[in-house]
Amino acid sequence: MNRPIAYVTRFVAEYQRAYLENLNQRLNGGLMVFGGETYDSSFKDLYSASNANYTFVPMKNRWIGRKGTLIQNVQPIIACNPAVILVEEAPRTLSLPCLLKIAKRQKIGTLLWGHFSSNNRRFSRYNPLDRYRISLAKSVDGCVCYTDEIAHLIRPFITSQSCFVARNTIDTKTLFSLYKSLRSKGKTHIRSSLGIDEKSHVIVFIGRLIPEKQPEVLLDLHNVLSTKINSTLIMIGDGPESHKLSSRIQKEGLKNVFMLGALAQFEASAPWIYASDMMVCPGYVGLNVNHAFSFGLPVITCKSPDPDIRYHSPEIAYLTPGLNGMMYDYDDFNSLVQATLSVFDDLPRFSENAYQYAVDYLQVDQMVDGLMEAIEYAQLCHKT
């Protein structure tokens, strides 16, 4: 009987379903996913994986404090006798070194998959936290990176053949299908059905309503744009900033603002995203870049406040300013306004480039190709 492949993560989110199910199919049903519950209530897209097409093993996460540090029981993972353990590269998982050490001792292949760096700190081999991440990377058979840029960052510290890229994405296959279906009906029809002025310039925000994403800046932007053009703002997401935003919209009597809350299902959010012209996220971005590009929406976000740090999640690498979106100067509202107007002025070109990038580089199959390459390498490392 073939030994399974184990994927170990802190918790499983809805956006992971597509590539985990795809990976399970490639492994002929041999994927086992281990994950627990999140500590962060702003993550409302979590789901029970009991109806997924892979085996899901619930873990009891022991969270320590409020910064995501945790301990997991590694015994159930080892007990399934996997051929390879693919582990989320999460430095705050204190049980991670123990899991990797036991796996190595039992000749189980080991892979780390993740960022290998912080969004908010310059990566340096001299920083104790980065030294720890480097030591973990050196201890495993292979490292699977979210982007080519992350691979470039970690490759100097490991062997070149043990560094892999699985470009992080979401269920673009479903998104492309929804986009094509909506496009067949036309933007005018979709906007009319949603109560949006067909001639409006429509901005959408997709993401959690948390301070780090600066959603309140969108209300300022909408206010200014409304004095220049026919502007509409759509906000998809929920979080601690929701009440503040709603109160301000009501207090200021803001028009043409749609606060939709969390729309976890792609089918629910798709018409609103298709009806939009671009996505603007004043704070940091991540996989919402993939979501926007899949509907041909260019993305506008800020530059890093410090050139030595990434600030955004790794998916910022998909955005090429002037091609499929724009980046404005951090904390410079006038720069944001100008970037938004410049994209509206050349919207067809930006939109085409955004969609084409998603088609060329953000397919789920491409991501799973990278994962399979790494898994097969780790298996060979322990083949007797």
Side-chain angles (χ1 to χ4, degrees):
M1 181 178 178
N2 292 333
R3 296 161 64 190
I5 304 300
Y7 170 51
V8 183
T9 183
R10 293 168 296 171
F11 51 87
V12 181
E14 176 64 30
Y15 74 84
Q16 295 175 290
R17 178 188 292 272
Y19 62 70
L20 290 176
E21 292 192 337
N22 188 308
L23 180 60
N24 185 52
Q25 291 173 358
R26 298 273 197 103
L27 294 170
N28 298 314
L31 180 66
M32 297 184 69
V33 176
F34 296 80
E37 295 183 351
T38 179
Y39 71 100
D40 188 342
S41 61
S42 70
F43 283 99
K44 292 187 177 180
D45 59 349
L46 304 184
Y47 74 104
S48 171
S50 59
N51 62 343
N53 75 0
Y54 50 79
T55 301
F56 177 72
V57 182
M59 302 279 283
K60 184 172 179 58
N61 288 341
R62 180 184 172 189
W63 295 99
I64 304 170
R66 297 182 179 181
K67 293 188 177 181
T69 302
L70 79 156
I71 296 174
Q72 292 180 316
N73 180 9
V74 304
Q75 291 305 316
I77 305 164
I78 299 297
C80 77
N81 190 30
V84 175
I85 294 177
L86 174 65
V87 190
E88 179 187 14
E89 193 265 341
R92 291 195 179 101
T93 303
L94 302 183
S95 50
L96 178 54
C98 177
L99 173 60
L100 295 177
K101 185 176 181 179
I102 295 173
K104 281 286 188 180
R105 189 166 63 234
Q106 298 196 12
K107 301 187 183 306
I108 297 170
T110 53
L111 296 168
L112 282 178
W113 178 19
H115 292 198
F116 298 94
S117 57
S118 169
N119 292 357
N120 300 308
R121 188 186 67 251
R122 178 177 178 269
F123 182 83
S124 170
R125 68 174 75 193
Y126 304 109
N127 183 288
L129 295 176
D130 289 333
R131 284 207 307 269
Y132 173 65
R133 301 183 94 143
I134 291 169
S135 68
L136 288 178
K138 288 181 174 180
S139 73
V140 295
D141 296 313
C143 296
V144 187
C145 305
Y146 274 27
T147 64
D148 296 285
E149 287 72 15
I150 297 297
H152 178 75
L153 194 70
I154 197 67
R155 191 172 281 122
F157 306 101
I158 60 177
T159 60
S160 58
Q161 65 268 28
S162 66
C163 188
F164 304 88
V165 176
R167 194 173 286 109
N168 203 35
T169 195
I170 52 180
D171 187 3
T172 50
K173 182 177 181 180
T174 294
L175 294 179
F176 292 150
S177 177
L178 289 168
Y179 172 65
K180 291 175 182 176
S181 175
L182 290 163
R183 191 171 58 180
S184 69
K185 300 175 183 178
K187 187 159 288 193
T188 298
H189 172 76
I190 298 300
R191 285 187 174 183
S192 177
S193 68
L194 298 174
I196 299 173
D197 186 340
E198 63 183 67
K199 296 182 179 179
S200 185
H201 297 71
V202 185
I203 289 171
V204 67
F205 168 89
I206 311 166
R208 291 181 295 146
L209 300 179
I210 55 177
E212 294 84 353
K213 290 185 179 288
Q214 302 183 49
E216 197 169 359
V217 174
L218 291 164
L219 300 185
D220 299 326
L221 177 63
H222 176 64
N223 262 335
V224 171
L225 290 179
S226 295
T227 66
K228 302 175 183 292
I229 56 177
N230 182 353
S231 175
T232 296
L233 173 63
I234 298 170
M235 304 185 76
I236 300 174
D238 201 356
E241 296 290 283
S242 178
H243 179 70
K244 182 192 298 185
L245 293 166
S246 297
S247 296
R248 186 175 161 191
I249 291 167
Q250 183 176 11
K251 181 179 179 181
E252 298 179 17
L254 300 182
K255 305 298 183 183
N256 299 323
V257 178
F258 296 83
M259 280 197 67
L260 306 177
L263 300 177
Q265 300 302 315
F266 287 155
E267 291 78 8
S269 62
W272 295 95
I273 298 173
Y274 175 75
S276 304
D277 294 310
M278 70 180 73
M279 184 187 82
V280 178
C281 186
Y284 81 91
V285 297
L287 283 166
N288 50 356
V289 172
N290 305 49
H291 205 156
F293 282 2
S294 296
F295 284 88
L297 268 58
V299 172
I300 297 178
T301 190
C302 63
K303 299 175 183 176
S304 171
D306 183 336
D308 289 330
I309 66 173
R310 185 173 61 237
Y311 178 71
H312 298 278
S313 293
E315 294 81 11
I316 189 64
Y318 308 152
L319 195 163
T320 302
L323 185 68
N324 52 25
M326 293 291 287
M327 298 184 74
Y328 66 93
D329 296 331
Y330 182 84
D331 208 22
D332 185 337
F333 183 72
N334 289 332
S335 178
L336 168 58
V337 173
Q338 292 305 313
T340 304
L341 292 174
S342 69
V343 172
F344 274 130
D345 286 343
D346 197 8
L347 190 59
R349 181 181 68 86
F350 276 102
S351 297
E352 175 59 29
N353 289 336
Y355 180 72
Q356 197 59 50
Y357 187 93
V359 170
D360 291 343
Y361 300 107
L362 301 180
Q363 304 268 8
V364 172
D365 284 343
Q366 295 169 317
M367 181 179 181
V368 177
D369 286 343
L371 292 171
M372 285 298 299
E373 186 181 1
I375 290 168
E376 289 165 2
Y377 174 83
Q379 287 177 312
L380 285 175
C381 287
H382 295 270
K383 190 174 183 179
T384 57

